[in-house]
Amino acid sequence: MHSWIPIPANSDFSLRNLPYGVFSTDSLSQRIGTAIGPYVLDLKVMAQEGVFSSIAFDSTTLKSSTLNAYASLDKNVHKAIRQLLVQLLAKDTSLGSALRDNTERKRRVLIPLHDVKMHLPMSIGDYTDFCVVPYHLKNVCLDLTPVRMDLPLAYHGRASSVVVSGTPFRRPKGQVISNNIPTLSATQKLDFEVELAAFIGHGNEMGCLIDVNDAENSIFGIVLLNDWSARDIQFSESTPLGPFNGKNFCTSISPWIVTLDALAPFRTNPLSYSWWLQDNLLSYLDEKEPNSVYNIDIDVSLTGRSSQDSLTDPVLFNCSTRYISFSFAQMLAHHSVGGCPMRSGDLIATGTISGPTRRELGCLLEATKNGTEPYEAQEISPSDGCKLVRTFLEDGDLVEFRARADDGSGLGKVGFGICGGKVLPSI
């Protein structure tokens, strides 16, 4: 599992990862690639050169400007292409030496990551945000209203405002309640939400549910997701219906889609909670795979606009996906149980990923108790005593999520690239 390409030890993109993304350069149009160490491997050129001719599939799907057509292919095709890519990039293989020793070919197909622009990897038709993390529900909802614990809760998001990492956005306006009077205002409670999300590869016919024990065959891969939230707008509009303008202004995702094969070594059992009972799950949610969630650590960093926000370590939170209670397979089974047709490029997310301690929370709403208790980053610069304190996000704040799974095997890390966005002032 070691590559002839020099890969830094802390790289997100070891040979065991090989995530998919869509990139361009000044001289190359938007196209599909896979990340390997400090490079992007151009899969469009590889397909044009017939590298995948031994695999029976429609190679034009790798010459597209999005991953939708390729993602909809059979899982066995994805596995075969992954295996071939490993052989091409691995040390001490004949296929690997054929690429490694051809300088001109390497120049054509390996592009430095710092020279590329990343795009949305798939055309997103629909986006659904679930709420499947017990600690988040406990911190936010249980004291307010009874919460269902026998199904994955969800609301429909806005696909048109899903953007790739690095895209800035404006502070949104909406109706908020001030002194019991509705007022149009820029949000004063702008927040982030740490989430994991799955892209659908191929869906189902309308009227046909997706079986929970076959649902992973419909999932192409996983990304990091930030469901930016305007809490004051959200709360003023969420009774009796769900979120609307408080959630529909921007959602950021990481640029690289990590496959389930790459994440397989990091599967784990969902945790049990004495106050979160799932003994009465209906049969359509009864998943036979015990290791149905993942153990991935996610760091949240915030860089402020002011020198007073300067930190040697700007990490605010350390979240973990092991606190997720319902799997993506269960989410997909629930989404389709009434016959809802899923399509290639649809996106489903976990909702806020929070743990039992303040440092493990996935949003400022929880960490500051809706702005009543300011949150201070734990690492303070020793040189000037600066510190970073927030109740909610300020204009100019740059929030970034980073996630790397590592099992200590020495085979390399599996990461997603940065999921980040910067807050611009309202207009």
Side-chain angles (χ1 to χ4, degrees):
M1 290 296 293
H2 295 285
S3 176
W4 51 264
I5 294 175
I7 299 177
N10 65 344
S11 173
D12 281 357
F13 309 123
S14 65
L15 185 57
R16 71 195 304 201
N17 191 352
L18 300 180
Y20 291 99
V22 171
F23 73 98
S24 66
T25 69
D26 291 341
S27 58
L28 297 175
S29 59
Q30 195 166 307
R31 60 193 52 214
I32 296 169
T34 188
I36 176 71
Y39 296 98
V40 180
L41 181 67
D42 190 331
L43 296 184
K44 179 177 181 178
V45 172
M46 301 287 276
Q48 289 171 336
E49 294 182 351
V51 172
F52 307 112
S53 59
S54 62
I55 301 171
F57 81 108
D58 180 4
S59 64
T60 63
T61 58
L62 284 175
K63 302 172 187 176
S64 176
S65 59
T66 71
L67 278 156
N68 293 64
Y70 177 72
S72 67
L73 299 176
D74 188 87
K75 280 283 189 180
N76 290 326
V77 172
H78 299 154
K79 289 180 182 293
I81 289 177
R82 176 180 171 82
Q83 290 168 1
L84 181 56
L85 289 174
V86 169
Q87 289 296 307
L88 281 166
L89 297 168
K91 251 181 198 179
D92 306 324
T93 66
S94 56
L95 282 176
S97 60
L99 178 57
R100 180 194 64 211
D101 299 335
N102 188 326
T103 302
E104 176 58 26
R105 193 179 184 205
K106 283 193 297 184
R107 184 190 64 77
R108 288 199 310 274
V109 301
L110 285 171
I111 299 97
L113 270 170
H114 57 69
D115 290 339
V116 308
K117 177 182 179 181
M118 298 305 297
H119 303 270
L120 278 178
M122 300 186 77
S123 176
I124 303 170
D126 281 295
Y127 159 50
T128 303
D129 199 16
F130 282 84
C131 189
V132 296
V133 181
Y135 281 114
H136 177 64
L137 282 166
K138 182 180 182 182
N139 293 336
V140 174
C141 301
L142 288 185
D143 293 335
L144 303 177
T145 183
V147 174
R148 296 288 300 275
M149 298 184 180
D150 54 351
L151 57 86
L153 302 168
Y155 74 92
H156 283 287
R158 181 69 182 177
S160 64
S161 56
V162 179
V163 298
V164 73
S165 175
T167 306
F169 68 96
R170 296 255 175 215
R171 178 180 295 271
K173 292 180 179 178
Q175 283 201 28
V176 299
I177 305 299
S178 178
N179 297 321
N180 295 319
I181 300 174
T183 304
L184 180 63
S185 170
T187 179
Q188 299 304 304
K189 293 186 175 183
L190 186 61
D191 202 356
F192 57 81
E193 290 189 0
V194 178
E195 305 192 25
L196 208 61
F199 268 111
I200 304 305
H202 64 85
N204 55 303
E205 295 291 333
M206 186 172 180
C208 300
L209 66 87
I210 298 174
D211 186 275
V212 67
N213 293 302
D214 190 49
E216 287 194 356
N217 288 323
S218 294
I219 296 174
F220 179 56
I222 309 297
V223 293
L224 294 176
L225 182 143
N226 185 346
D227 182 36
W228 303 95
S229 301
R231 299 301 189 184
D232 43 4
I233 299 172
Q234 176 188 350
F235 293 152
S236 72
E237 67 188 4
S238 293
T239 303
L241 298 180
F244 186 54
N245 285 329
K247 293 278 193 175
N248 67 9
F249 56 93
C250 186
T251 299
S252 302
I253 64 170
S254 55
W256 296 101
I257 302 178
V258 179
T259 66
L260 302 193
D261 286 337
L263 291 172
F266 311 103
R267 296 182 75 119
T268 188
N269 231 317
L271 296 175
S272 298
Y273 307 90
S274 59
W275 40 270
W276 177 267
L277 302 176
Q278 293 181 311
D279 295 338
N280 57 339
L281 288 183
L282 298 184
S283 59
Y284 77 95
L285 292 173
D286 187 12
E287 188 174 11
K288 292 184 173 61
E289 170 58 59
N291 296 320
S292 59
V293 299
Y294 299 96
N295 189 1
I296 303 168
D297 293 325
I298 305 174
D299 290 339
V300 181
S301 67
L302 190 155
T303 304
R305 63 178 178 175
S306 167
S307 61
Q308 296 302 308
D309 291 334
S310 299
L311 294 178
T312 54
D313 175 9
V315 173
L316 289 178
F317 302 101
N318 306 109
C319 306
S320 176
T321 63
R322 69 182 181 274
Y323 296 121
I324 292 171
S325 185
F326 286 101
S327 70
F328 282 118
Q330 289 173 310
M331 292 180 230
L332 193 49
H334 183 62
H335 204 315
S336 65
V337 69
C340 174
M342 308 298 294
R343 296 170 295 186
S344 179
D346 285 352
L347 189 64
I348 60 174
T350 60
T352 306
I353 299 172
S354 291
T357 69
R358 200 180 190 195
R359 184 73 170 177
E360 296 174 283
L361 301 177
C363 64
L364 290 171
L365 174 68
E366 293 176 73
T368 69
K369 295 187 177 179
N370 197 19
T372 62
E373 296 181 9
Y375 182 84
E376 180 177 323
Q378 291 186 1
E379 298 296 331
I380 299 176
S381 170
S383 60
D384 54 16
C386 292
K387 59 184 179 180
L388 191 150
V389 179
R390 288 291 185 274
T391 52
F392 288 100
L393 297 176
E394 300 179 2
D395 292 346
D397 282 350
L398 171 65
V399 178
E400 294 181 323
F401 302 165
R402 291 175 175 84
R404 291 186 183 126
D406 186 4
D407 58 5
S409 65
L411 298 176
K413 297 176 174 61
V414 173
F416 297 79
I418 294 173
C419 176
K422 186 173 184 178
V423 181
L424 302 180
S426 179
I427 55 174

